Amino acid sequence: MEISHLNKKDNLQDKVQSLPKKIEHGVRQGSILGPLLFLLYINDLPSHINEAKLVLCADGTNILVTGKNEEELYSEILVVTKQLDGCLCKNGLAVNYTKRLLCPSIIVNQLS
């Protein structure tokens, strides 16, 4: 595959070519089957993850974890991560940890 990039600063075009690699399994990028197969594989994911709310999209999943304090939040994240890995492993899938984003937020409710 060859990728071309136009450097606007120098007005030069860079080209990078990757080496061919045998694909063991998968769907070509841009295929209409990609989002469909993704949904089929993860459609039952919410039934395997009990300590979180899931938002399933055509090309990704958001997992919302809550806790009463920071310690409980991180404990719940570990539990959910184990549940997620177990469920995906059954389907021959794995989390791409380079794309995973963890955004902890602490919201404090004070009663006055």
Side-chain angles (χ1 to χ4, degrees), residues 4 13 19 21 25 35 37 39-40 44 46 60-61 71 80 82 91 101 109-110:
S4 296
Q13 186 172 7
L19 298 173
K21 184 176 180 182
H25 55 274
L37 290 174
L39 288 174
L40 287 174
D44 66 340
T61 301
E71 183 179 319
V80 169
K82 288 179 183 179
N91 288 324
L101 180 61
N109 291 333
Q110 292 182 340

Side-chain angles (χ1 to χ4, degrees), residues 3-64:
I3 299 173
S4 296
H5 170 72
L6 180 62
N7 185 338
K8 292 182 181 181
K9 182 180 176 185
D10 302 328
N11 206 22
L12 298 174
Q13 186 172 7
D14 297 325
K15 290 185 180 182
V16 177
Q17 187 158 357
S18 64
L19 298 173
K21 184 176 180 182
K22 183 179 177 182
I23 298 174
E24 301 292 331
H25 55 274
V27 178
R28 289 181 59 142
Q29 188 172 359
S31 166
I32 196 166
L33 282 176
L36 177 63
L37 290 174
F38 176 78
L39 288 174
L40 287 174
Y41 271 103
I42 67 155
N43 197 38
D44 66 340
L45 191 59
S47 65
H48 296 280
I49 302 201
N50 304 317
E51 285 77 21
K53 294 186 185 226
L54 277 74
V55 179
L56 304 179
C57 303
D59 62 352
T61 301
N62 292 313
I63 302 174
L64 309 171

